[in-house]
Amino acid sequence: MAAIAPLAGSFALIFGGCCSNVYCLEAIVKHEPDSGLLITLFQFIFTCLSTLHYQFDPRGRYFVKPSPVPFRKWCISAALFFTVNMMNNWAFAFDISVPVHIILRSFGSVTTMAAGWLRGKKYTPLQIFSVAVLTVGVIVSAWADARSKGKTMDTSNVDLTSSSFEAGLLILLVAQLLSAYMGAYVEDIYIEHGNHWKANLFYSHLLSIPLFANFAPVLRSQFTRLQSSQPFEVPATVAASLPPTLNKALASTSQHVIYLTANAVTQLLCITGVNILSANTSAVTVTIVLNIRKLVSFLLSIWIFGNQMGGLMKVGAAMVFGAGALYGWETSYRIPQRKKAIAAKKGEKAQ
């Protein structure tokens, strides 16, 4: 039973945290589509404060534990992390719906495979087939979403200064390429210096926060617009169980500022759940759970917010999630099983 407790906790954090995060995110972008930068800042500040205890040492210099990794590498990792997160959230200002945003971010296996191939890794035919199917699924989904909005997929005249669907696609594509490079860079850090994921989580957020300084006027404007929304309405059944002071504070706070704070909290819960799951299960379990989580988030976005999902988008979504699951099964289960079988045969021959 003790071994089951961490798994149950991680499932609750992943499905509760990640799916709630998508709900809060869409509630914000429905009201203010170009608030991605502010959303990112809130997430970074909250995660940094919440992970400070990982690195806190009252006897250390500046009350922080010595970094196990050269500080220069943390700076590079943080710059990449900041850029990827900012671009992913910025895409909402370019007429990209949340369902398509989820689907396109599943495109990461393509860029990850490309980055691995450039670094000398080899892939099986089933892995390549899975990524090919996923790529077609992404294209079908993007085309279906564009068609439903009366747009075309012609990218010959992309205007990054206008709120265009094509610009949003380009931003997400660049973000995926940078994310693949960042993954390879962090992997090299872990290989050379050890798996210090807690330190990476802390420094990637801490060192990214100063990069928001140049965007202060934009952040102030975004926060002012969110703050001008209607006050948060506490359901009567919930208000009855809360202290009067808390009820008064919630009632005097903007609804979308509450969503902004909840988005940052649920983002941390989601990240924590993934790390707990990774520490207690096999990679195949993590892959399957995360694919199911993405699908649940996708369906919640369709159901709760009434996003349109035509036949072509259903086909594209099925191709993306199915190919992602197939790739994860091949990578995390079949390949290790074949390696074990080969090792066992070699052992028998040696005897």
Side-chain angles (χ1 to χ4, degrees):
M1 293 296 291
I4 296 176
L7 298 182
S10 67
F11 291 150
L13 289 170
I14 290 173
F15 284 93
C18 299
C19 293
S20 300
N21 183 262
V22 172
Y23 173 84
C24 296
L25 176 64
E26 184 145 6
I28 296 169
V29 300
K30 284 281 187 180
H31 175 76
E32 194 61 46
D34 63 344
S35 57
L37 190 64
L38 183 65
I39 293 171
T40 307
L41 176 60
F42 262 65
Q43 289 177 350
F44 279 31
I45 291 175
F46 188 83
T47 301
C48 181
L49 293 175
S50 301
T51 56
L52 180 61
H53 67 281
Y54 290 151
Q55 303 303 312
F56 181 73
D57 182 2
R59 295 170 296 181
R61 189 180 182 184
Y62 307 117
F63 300 102
V64 177
K65 294 177 182 178
S67 174
V69 176
F71 200 67
R72 171 182 56 83
K73 294 186 177 182
W74 286 143
C75 290
I76 296 173
S77 175
L80 290 168
F81 184 70
F82 168 81
T83 304
V84 169
N85 278 273
M86 188 179 72
M87 294 186 76
N88 279 328
N89 284 332
W90 183 33
F92 286 115
F94 293 85
D95 206 18
I96 294 289
S97 65
V98 169
V100 169
H101 192 277
I102 295 171
I103 292 171
L104 292 178
R105 290 187 67 179
S106 298
F107 189 68
S109 59
V110 177
T111 53
T112 302
M113 176 175 280
W117 179 76
L118 291 172
R119 299 173 71 217
K121 289 187 177 181
K122 295 182 179 180
Y123 298 96
T124 67
L126 187 56
Q127 286 176 312
I128 296 172
F129 172 76
S130 301
V131 171
V133 172
L134 189 147
T135 304
V136 174
V138 168
I139 295 172
V140 169
S141 300
W143 183 74
D145 187 70
R147 196 179 69 166
S148 70
K149 295 173 181 173
K151 297 177 179 289
T152 68
M153 289 297 290
D154 180 17
T155 59
S156 59
N157 295 310
V158 173
D159 182 5
L160 290 175
T161 64
S162 68
S163 182
S164 65
F165 177 78
E166 293 86 357
L169 289 179
L170 181 60
I171 288 168
L172 284 176
L173 176 60
V174 173
Q176 290 303 311
L177 293 172
L178 288 175
S179 179
Y181 178 78
M182 179 182 68
Y185 185 80
V186 172
E187 182 180 347
D188 288 341
I189 290 177
Y190 290 162
I191 291 173
E192 184 177 353
H193 303 283
N195 188 7
H196 301 286
W197 67 267
K198 292 181 179 179
N200 181 45
L201 186 62
F202 172 73
Y203 282 109
S204 61
H205 287 82
L206 175 67
L207 298 176
S208 296
I209 292 174
L211 300 176
F212 288 91
N214 291 331
F215 302 97
V218 178
L219 290 165
R220 191 180 302 112
S221 175
Q222 291 179 359
F223 185 78
T224 300
R225 289 196 294 270
L226 287 183
Q227 198 174 28
S228 64
S229 64
Q230 65 184 33
F232 185 75
E233 296 182 5
V234 184
T237 54
V238 177
S241 61
L242 296 177
T245 306
L246 181 57
N247 278 323
K248 185 177 180 180
L250 289 173
S252 62
T253 305
S254 158
Q255 181 180 35
H256 287 88
V257 170
I258 296 290
Y259 283 135
L260 186 66
T261 306
N263 177 269
V265 174
T266 53
Q267 174 74 2
L268 176 64
L269 296 177
C270 180
I271 294 172
T272 303
V274 172
N275 281 300
I276 293 175
L277 187 64
S278 300
N280 289 277
T281 65
S282 65
V284 65
T285 303
V286 176
T287 302
I288 291 172
V289 169
L290 292 182
N291 272 291
I292 294 173
R293 197 282 301 167
K294 286 181 181 179
L295 183 58
V296 170
S297 296
F298 181 85
L299 295 176
L300 282 175
S301 177
I302 296 293
W303 175 52
I304 295 175
F305 291 95
N307 288 298
Q308 297 299 314
M309 188 177 182
L312 274 178
M313 188 173 288
K314 290 178 182 178
V315 172
M319 292 174 72
V320 169
F321 293 121
L326 184 63
Y327 181 86
W329 177 64
E330 170 73 3
T331 303
S332 303
Y333 180 75
R334 286 192 64 192
I335 292 177
Q337 288 296 316
R338 285 198 294 266
K339 288 181 178 179
K340 288 181 181 178
I342 292 172
K345 287 182 179 179
K346 288 182 177 178
E348 291 175 0
K349 290 180 179 179
Q351 294 175 357

